[in-house]
Amino acid sequence: MEHNPFIRLLLKLKIINPNKKFAAQLRKPHGQLANYVGQQMNLGNRGLNEFMYKNINISNGDAILEIGYGNGHFYKEIFKKSPQAKISGIDLSKAMYAEAIATNADFIANKKLNLHCGSSDALPFADNSFDKVFCVNVVYFWQKPENHLKEILRVLKPNGKFFAGIRTKETMQQMPFTQYGFAMYTPDEWEAIVKQNGFKNTSFIPNTENEVGFNDEEIVLHSACVWGEK
């Protein structure tokens, strides 16, 4: 069985409470472990990212904002399918920002990509800037989601859409690190929060991903794409 390689590394380094350390790194990769964490997030999030891209349906000419781009690994795949899209991104981690800038230097030079480091509850963009805003495995870390959703609503164009890729509460509760600072939701619960904060025409599509190993058990990853419209 394949077990979480990051936890194995922390155990090897004799880190006390490796699950708590892992949770902190997932929220904001930092320090000497940041690049390794980014690589592991690429592996763990690939299936959900691909599911999200299919449902977001990024078109040429769309102005897109991604919240929580990590090391920017997947941008080349978005531009391959939609070469005329204009993408901006914001991420809380300075380490991920630096790596994403280096990884996507050509896209940035050609003004296809505009990356920022900061928090999504204070977005550095003008009102009505984007056709679509999306995030993948990010909303668990929003202590006050209403502040982030207010900002997303502000920067969306009229009738623009916000998409959030989340793993279900039942799935997340089976992961030992999620007891440290994760807010977990069912798709219905997250949809209700989006609706309560000013979005209309809310809905979601469920998804089943691959199995992963945690604590000698295999977990089937259940997730969803949840969206709302301005």
Side-chain angles (χ1 to χ4, degrees):
M1 183 188 302
E2 184 67 24
H3 293 286
N4 188 312
F6 190 78
I7 297 297
R8 290 203 305 268
L9 173 63
L10 294 179
L11 289 170
K12 185 177 180 180
L13 295 174
K14 298 182 179 179
I15 299 295
I16 297 174
N17 201 337
N19 285 312
K20 185 175 183 180
K21 182 75 171 180
F22 187 35
Q25 284 285 348
L26 288 176
R27 179 181 182 275
K28 184 181 179 180
H30 56 278
Q32 294 180 336
L33 296 172
N35 289 349
Y36 183 77
V37 173
Q39 294 170 13
Q40 294 306 310
M41 289 194 296
N42 294 340
L43 294 172
N45 292 342
R46 171 166 287 280
L48 184 52
N49 270 278
E50 291 174 350
F51 174 71
M52 290 293 293
Y53 299 153
K54 179 180 178 181
N55 286 285
I56 295 169
N57 189 26
I58 297 173
S59 302
N60 282 323
D62 275 349
I64 305 293
L65 171 62
E66 180 179 15
I67 297 170
Y69 50 74
N71 60 15
H73 174 77
F74 294 105
Y75 285 134
K76 61 181 181 292
E77 299 180 17
I78 296 177
F79 286 119
K80 185 177 181 180
K81 295 179 180 178
S82 303
Q84 301 306 315
K86 298 291 185 181
I87 301 178
S88 296
I90 189 163
D91 197 285
L92 194 61
S93 167
K94 292 181 180 179
M96 291 295 94
Y97 170 71
E99 188 170 349
I101 289 286
T103 300
N104 296 283
D106 289 344
F107 296 135
I108 294 169
N110 291 325
K111 301 189 183 303
K112 292 185 175 183
L113 185 63
N114 176 28
L115 298 181
H116 295 260
C117 183
S119 176
S120 52
D121 60 1
L123 293 172
F125 307 106
D127 297 358
N128 307 313
S129 293
F130 299 102
D131 298 290
K132 297 167 184 175
V133 177
F134 77 97
C135 63
V136 178
N137 284 336
V138 168
V139 304
Y140 325 119
F141 306 113
W142 292 350
Q143 293 182 348
K144 294 182 178 180
E146 62 273 15
N147 293 345
H148 300 263
L149 293 171
K150 179 180 179 181
E151 276 290 271
I152 292 167
L153 200 63
R154 179 183 66 79
V155 301
L156 275 171
K157 297 177 182 179
N159 301 315
K161 290 184 177 180
F162 167 55
F163 301 83
I166 65 169
R167 300 249 165 80
T168 66
K169 180 186 292 187
E170 181 182 13
T171 292
M172 295 294 287
Q173 287 174 337
Q174 296 179 72
M175 300 179 183
F177 52 84
T178 58
Q179 62 182 296
Y180 300 103
F182 281 67
M184 294 167 275
Y185 307 94
T186 67
D188 287 311
E189 288 170 342
W190 181 249
E191 182 191 355
I193 291 173
V194 171
K195 189 172 183 178
Q196 289 164 8
N197 283 276
F199 289 83
K200 62 185 181 182
N201 299 327
T202 60
S203 190
F204 68 86
I205 298 176
N207 181 47
T208 301
E209 303 173 61
N210 57 314
E211 295 183 351
V212 296
F214 285 104
N215 289 352
D216 298 323
E217 294 183 3
E218 288 187 343
I219 300 173
V220 178
L221 301 177
H222 295 285
S223 54
C225 174
V226 186
W227 70 84
E229 184 177 313
K230 180 172 180 178

